[in-house]
Amino acid sequence: MTIIETSFQEICTELDICIENMHQFGCELLRASNYDDAESLLQKIRDLKAFQDKVNALNAEWCESFSNDPAIQDNQEDVSEEEANHETGRRRMKHTRLLVKFADGTIVAEKSAAMTFAKTLEIIGFDRVASANIVVNSEDLIGNETSKKYNDTYLDGVYVRTHSSTNCKKKILEKLANEFGLNLEVTVI
C-alpha cells in the first residue's frame, strides 16, 4: 500500500468521524425540537457524504491507474522495517504519540497514543467521559464490551475505543477538556 492510499484511508476515517459527530448533533437538535437547524444539518450531512463518495472514487482511481506504476513506486518514501506491517507487506504512516499535561502537573505519556488516550480518560473518569456521549467509528467511546469491528484498549474494567488517528484522539481530549472545564495541554509527538 502506498503512502497515498494510506492517506486516502485516513481521510475517509476522519470523514466517518465527522459524519458520526454530525449525526449526534442532529439528534440533540431533534431532542430540542429545533427542526429548522436539524434540517439544515441534514443537508450538510448529505453534502459531506457526497464529498466522501468523491474521495472514495479518487482513491479507487488512484489504485486502478497509478498505485502499481513502477515509476511512482520508485518515488515512494522509504519506510523502515519497524513501520512495515510484516503480515501484509503494507506500509504505514510514521507512528505518533500523545503527551497530555493536566493543570495539577500530572503528565501522561505512554508508549502508544492509544494507551495515553485511555489513561487520560481514566484520570478524567470513565463515567464522566461516557456521559459526554462521544462516538468513535459508530460505537460509544467507552464500552462494557469489546468492539465487534475494531481493536480496543482495555483498562480498569472498560473498553476504550482507540481505533482512530492520533489527531482524532487529541481532538476528543480537547473536546472533553472544554466540556468539563479541564485545563489540559494535549500535544502530538
Side-chain angles (χ1 to χ4, degrees), residues 96-144:
T96 54
R97 297 178 16 218
L98 287 173
L99 172 70
V100 180
K101 295 180 185 176
F102 285 81
D104 68 358
T106 301
I107 295 175
V108 184
E110 300 297 322
K111 290 183 179 182
S112 71
M115 187 54 76
T116 299
F117 182 67
K119 287 195 173 188
T120 301
L121 297 180
E122 180 182 37
I123 292 169
I124 294 170
F126 289 133
D127 289 338
R128 192 176 187 192
V129 171
S131 74
N133 297 316
I134 295 175
V135 174
V136 176
N137 296 319
S138 302
E139 297 182 277
D140 291 334
L141 176 61
I142 304 296
N144 294 321

Side-chain angles (χ1 to χ4, degrees), residues 48-81:
L48 188 55
K49 292 285 279 178
F51 177 78
Q52 185 180 38
D53 291 343
K54 290 176 189 176
V55 171
N56 286 328
L58 283 172
N59 184 26
E61 181 180 347
W62 168 263
C63 291
E64 184 177 310
S65 302
F66 303 108
S67 69
N68 293 322
D69 187 321
I72 292 173
Q73 292 294 328
D74 289 344
N75 291 322
Q76 292 292 308
E77 183 179 314
D78 289 335
V79 178
S80 70
E81 192 172 318

Side-chain angles (χ1 to χ4, degrees), residues 141-186:
L141 176 61
I142 304 296
N144 294 321
E145 297 177 2
T146 186
S147 170
K148 292 174 178 54
K149 289 176 66 176
Y150 302 104
N151 291 331
D152 300 316
T153 299
Y154 184 77
L155 189 63
D156 196 27
V158 301
Y159 294 91
V160 179
R161 310 301 180 220
T162 54
H163 186 84
S164 60
S165 71
T166 304
N167 283 330
C168 180
K169 291 176 182 72
K170 179 181 189 288
K171 289 176 189 172
I172 290 171
L173 290 174
E174 290 171 341
K175 178 180 179 180
L176 289 168
N178 186 48
E179 186 167 328
F180 296 130
L182 303 172
N183 186 7
L184 286 184
E185 183 181 329
V186 184

